[in-house]
Amino acid sequence: MARIIGCVTTSHVPAIGRAIEKELQEEPYWKPFFDGFKPVHRWLAESRPDVVVIFYNDHGLNFFLDKLPTFAIGAAQEYRSDDEGWNIPTVAPFPGDPDLSWHIINSVVAEDFDITTCQEMVVDHAVCNPMALLWPGGKPWPVRIVPVEINTVQFPLPSAARCYSLGEAVGRAVASYPEDLRVLVMGTGGLSHQLDGERAGFINKAFDREFMTSLTADPQWATKYSTLELVEKTGSQGIELMLWVAARAALGSGGVREVAANYHIPISNTAAGMLLLEPTG
Ligand code: DHB
Ligand code: FE
């Protein structure tokens, strides 16, 4: 049977792509951020996932404001990377796993989630940068991906509680997949940041810290807040932390251990967070 072996959640700031292109990992500005991934690289070398189920938010590349699904899941053979306007380099295409994608889609639709299914899908910095952080060089990618996209861009947004429920359903779907696969779940985005408006530059370290801590033993902690409360507490784009909530939910309600964590302010306009959790059961 397929098994979820861990969960990595990380910020996905576009500037990461440029820093990788220009090899700035050892520069004082970037080093505290990139160094946070060293224990993740060691863990990946031992854990060797086959597939990554990646919860992320599209930023106007695959979906635009005129047609914006609440939840979408990729079921493509391959996902080409593209840049929706940040002028960051594209990366090698990601191989898909259509059989696992369709199994997840069928399972969650059977649980009454309304999913947009995407047999063609291009992916933006919210997939490419986290993948490049985990597998530097990335050619060829050593894993297949299943992208699970959640709207955090245009209201109305799904609630954190709904994202948690979707994550749980995806976790159950993976656990019922008959093939022996080692599955890593990822959630990208956050933590607190606001890119525009009167509060541009807003960061809430106290909230981010409490949120990161909650994910180990109290993963539903953030679901007590409405989307508007989360925007208030974390910024208009900090709401991306719902992708972390969904990814963590896929690990289920059993025991979980923190393997690695990093939190660094600022990366671009963002409080950059990274967390690696693994199930203990
Ligand atoms: C930034 C952060 C994001 O999450 C994003 O999608 C775009 C830009 C930033 O901090 O620059
Ligand atoms: Fe973003």
Side-chain angles (χ1 to χ4, degrees), residues 12-14 59 86 125 193 195 240 267-270:
H12 61 215
V13 178
H59 298 72
W86 296 99
H125 66 272
H193 63 296
L195 300 180
E240 290 175 344
I267 289 297
S268 186
N269 297 300
T270 300

Side-chain angles (χ1 to χ4, degrees), residues 168-210:
E168 285 185 304
V170 169
R172 283 190 289 272
V174 170
S176 68
Y177 190 61
E179 202 181 318
D180 273 335
L181 287 181
R182 299 169 65 76
V183 177
L184 176 70
V185 287
M186 283 176 76
T188 91
L191 287 175
S192 58
H193 63 296
Q194 170 138 350
L195 300 180
D196 45 20
E198 275 178 24
R199 290 204 308 169
F202 176 77
I203 278 175
N204 186 346
K205 183 175 176 181
F207 184 91
D208 287 342
R209 284 299 202 183
E210 202 170 354

